[in-house]
Amino acid sequence: MWGGRFAQRPSDIMQAINASIDVDKRLWREDIRGSKAHAAMLAAQEIITEADNQKIQAGLDQIAAEIEAGTFIFDVGLEDIHLNIEARLTERVGEAGKRLHTGRSRNDQVATDFKLWIMGACDAAADSVRDLQKVLVKRASDHADWVMPGFTHLQTAQPVTLGHHLLAYVEMLERDMMRISGAGGAAGDGCPLGAAALAGTGFPINRHATASALGFLEPAANSLDAVASRDFALQALSALSISGVHLSRLAEEIVLWTSPQFAFARLSDAWSTGSSIMPQKRNPDAAELIRAKAARISANLAALTAIVQKLPLAYAKDLQDDKALSFEAFDAFDLCVRAMSGMMETIAFNRDALREAASKGYSTATDLADWLVRELAMPFREAHHVTGAVVKRAETLGAATLADLPLAEFQKIEPRITEAARALLTVEQSAASRDSYGGTAPVRVREQAALWAERLADDE
Ligand code: ARG
């Protein structure tokens, strides 16, 4: 394709480092779409004849059918998807095929194809995040009043409801979904096609026509920017990477919760793996691999950032490696979200273990302090001190929870504490009392779960 000025063919290693067809063959649909739009525009502008355009359109459709059928032969000697398709087109339609590349270059071609791919991939990723949200909302409303320990520093802090905990992830995933679809939208802003190699072209092309035929908002206004920039891919990988962080945190919780030490939950058989030596094991491999894959998605973002940041304008071949990193990140993300949906759909929670853990560590101490403030008008700092003494007493006497400590013991520390105060110190009462907006009380959780169910249904 470019051998005109060379006497020798490239060395095998040169070809191996240079060829990208094994990776970028995945862009074949976008490449054919882009070429069809370009050829139609060339004909409309009378840069090629309508007869040539017809041959090109039919030839590209046939190539699409060949690739779909698996009969197309990809040739590493032809470097990349662009040259593979163009060479085959010329084989099929002759002269007309050789006119397709008028007024464009592989530099604007690849940027266009890749943007189209990122747009579609972001849409699909956002949809799968939506599906996971639906699963979590369903599980949250089924467990709106199941009490579990809320942690800070992974130390028992205050009782919360399981529904509330699950809805926390629905909120994170909503922002993820917005970031991912925002990244797809940003890729669709400026169409690179027609920027040509870097400087534009002297042919009277109509870039507005190709931009709109391909679903872009407008043509990219600066040809150097159009061929040199990959921030659309950085933005998409950054959105995936942030969402991967959230998936990894939930995965980490699954790993903890399903360990016999916590015993908060059990993964279904379909989402557990066995050990070849220890017959009792039920391992959370999918959750662990979500943690690993999330790390790799962030690493791919870091790699692409490092590739782009040192490049003088405009195009350089370093940019070719943007695709492997992005395809891998999107593939990993897709697996992670779908595995998470599968696990969360069928994970079984253990109500007793959750409740028992919630009661440990004197988790309702703040409720006593709040009562002292509310009913006795005690300043909070003093209430904190009194409650600390009560906790110490419970510990000395070996009372497992504050609700187990006899009233007389409370009254030795603060005589005005009543039976009514003591009755508030169960984990259920504690969670139910936190009914401020955004709080963990079952009434608030049911409200939020209902809002989410409505919102996610509207979205269909
Ligand atoms: N395969 C190349 C890539 O992915 C296409 C652009 C090549 N342009 C060039 N001038 N060699 O970046």
Side-chain angles (χ1 to χ4, degrees):
M1 282 286 171
W2 42 255
R5 79 185 295 293
F6 296 95
Q8 261 192 330
R9 63 174 299 277
S11 91
D12 290 346
I13 302 297
M14 174 64 211
Q15 184 165 303
I17 197 172
N18 199 34
S20 57
I21 186 63
D22 287 343
V23 171
D24 62 27
K25 63 165 83 147
R26 198 162 162 178
L27 292 176
W28 69 266
R29 281 193 188 79
E30 290 76 13
D31 198 68
I32 287 177
R33 257 178 86 193
S35 289
K36 292 186 70 159
H38 184 68
M41 177 278 292
L42 291 177
Q45 299 296 108
E46 297 178 351
I47 299 166
I48 63 173
T49 64
E50 187 46 37
D52 280 347
N53 176 40
Q54 291 306 323
K55 285 185 199 159
I56 291 170
Q57 299 293 334
L60 289 170
D61 287 340
Q62 285 161 349
I63 290 170
E66 286 175 7
I67 298 175
E68 202 91 70
T71 56
F72 188 94
I73 297 156
F74 293 100
D75 177 3
V76 261
L78 289 166
E79 268 183 58
D80 57 25
I81 188 63
H82 324 294
L83 297 183
N84 269 268
I85 290 178
E86 197 188 320
R88 179 70 180 138
L89 179 68
T90 300
E91 238 170 66
R92 297 200 71 123
V93 308
E95 271 292 299
K98 295 186 186 171
R99 297 188 196 279
L100 171 62
H101 213 50
T102 315
R104 77 171 186 189
S105 141
R106 274 189 294 159
N107 296 349
D108 57 336
Q109 192 179 353
V110 72
T112 305
D113 293 1
F114 191 32
K115 275 193 155 193
L116 288 170
W117 189 89
I118 291 278
M119 285 151 76
C122 285
D123 280 351
D127 283 350
S128 64
V129 171
R130 272 275 183 253
D131 292 341
L132 173 56
Q133 285 181 296
K134 286 178 193 161
V135 169
L136 291 172
V137 168
K138 168 90 179 58
R139 299 312 311 266
S141 66
D142 292 347
H143 298 84
D145 59 359
W146 287 35
V147 180
M148 67 177 284
F151 298 100
T152 59
H153 314 268
L154 198 57
Q155 305 285 322
T156 308
Q158 290 174 345
V160 297
T161 50
L162 177 54
H164 193 54
H165 195 111
L166 296 176
L167 287 181
Y169 284 100
V170 174
E171 298 282 342
M172 294 176 231
L173 291 168
E174 179 67 10
R175 296 189 295 275
D176 294 345
M177 195 283 298
M178 298 294 281
R179 267 186 290 268
I180 294 167
S181 45
D189 281 350
C191 180
L193 194 59
L198 76 167
T201 174
F203 290 103
I205 59 173
N206 181 350
R207 292 192 57 212
H208 289 87
T210 45
S212 88
L214 293 172
F216 288 89
L217 192 64
E218 57 192 7
N222 182 297
S223 61
L224 295 167
D225 172 47
V227 296
S229 295
R230 293 295 182 272
D231 49 292
F232 64 91
L234 290 173
Q235 191 174 345
L237 292 202
S238 135
L240 293 191
S241 166
I242 294 170
S243 190
V245 169
H246 295 151
L247 295 174
S248 181
R249 292 182 82 168
L250 180 52
E252 170 69 8
E253 301 206 292
I254 292 174
V255 171
L256 286 174
W257 292 353
T258 57
S259 82
Q261 282 67 29
F262 275 76
F264 287 2
R266 184 183 169 97
L267 288 168
S268 66
D269 286 358
W271 292 99
S272 302
T273 51
S275 154
S276 52
I277 173 163
M278 297 164 283
Q280 84 286 9
K281 292 291 288 290
R282 298 175 66 83
N283 292 331
D285 290 32
E288 296 166 279
L289 286 162
I290 288 172
R291 288 189 308 210
K293 288 187 191 307
R296 291 175 60 169
I297 293 169
S298 309
N300 285 15
L301 167 63
L304 185 55
T305 304
I307 285 176
V308 179
Q309 69 190 2
K310 66 192 183 304
L311 299 183
L313 299 186
Y315 178 86
K317 199 62 172 268
D318 313 42
L319 292 174
Q320 175 164 281
D321 276 351
D322 57 359
K323 286 171 287 297
L325 291 168
S326 304
F327 294 164
E328 188 189 61
F330 273 93
D331 289 347
F333 185 76
D334 182 61
L335 268 178
C336 289
V337 182
R338 291 200 290 160
M340 186 57 87
S341 293
M343 281 190 288
M344 292 311 295
E345 215 159 17
T346 53
I347 194 168
F349 294 101
N350 181 336
R351 190 168 199 164
D352 293 337
L354 287 165
R355 188 189 186 281
E356 199 190 313
S359 319
K360 279 188 188 153
Y362 306 107
S363 63
T364 58
T366 321
D367 299 270
L368 177 59
D370 288 350
W371 185 89
L372 295 168
V373 169
R374 214 170 42 241
E375 303 298 327
L376 307 183
M378 200 182 269
F380 183 78
R381 276 296 150 225
E382 198 181 320
H384 186 281
H385 191 79
V386 169
T387 306
V390 171
V391 168
K392 196 167 168 208
R393 188 73 192 139
E395 226 165 20
T396 312
L397 296 179
T401 74
L402 291 185
D404 295 329
L405 190 68
L407 183 61
E409 296 297 334
F410 286 87
Q411 291 177 337
K412 277 184 197 158
I413 294 155
E414 169 49 66
R416 290 173 293 169
I417 295 178
T418 63
E419 190 51 46
R422 212 182 69 99
L424 288 178
L425 303 181
T426 66
V427 288
E428 284 78 13
Q429 283 292 337
S430 169
S433 73
R434 301 224 151 66
D435 60 356
S436 56
Y437 179 80
T440 201
V443 323
R444 293 286 94 88
V445 173
R446 290 203 179 90
E447 254 168 37
Q448 286 295 318
L451 281 172
W452 273 114
E454 206 179 302
R455 191 161 163 192
L456 296 174
D458 281 354
D459 209 63
E460 307 259 273

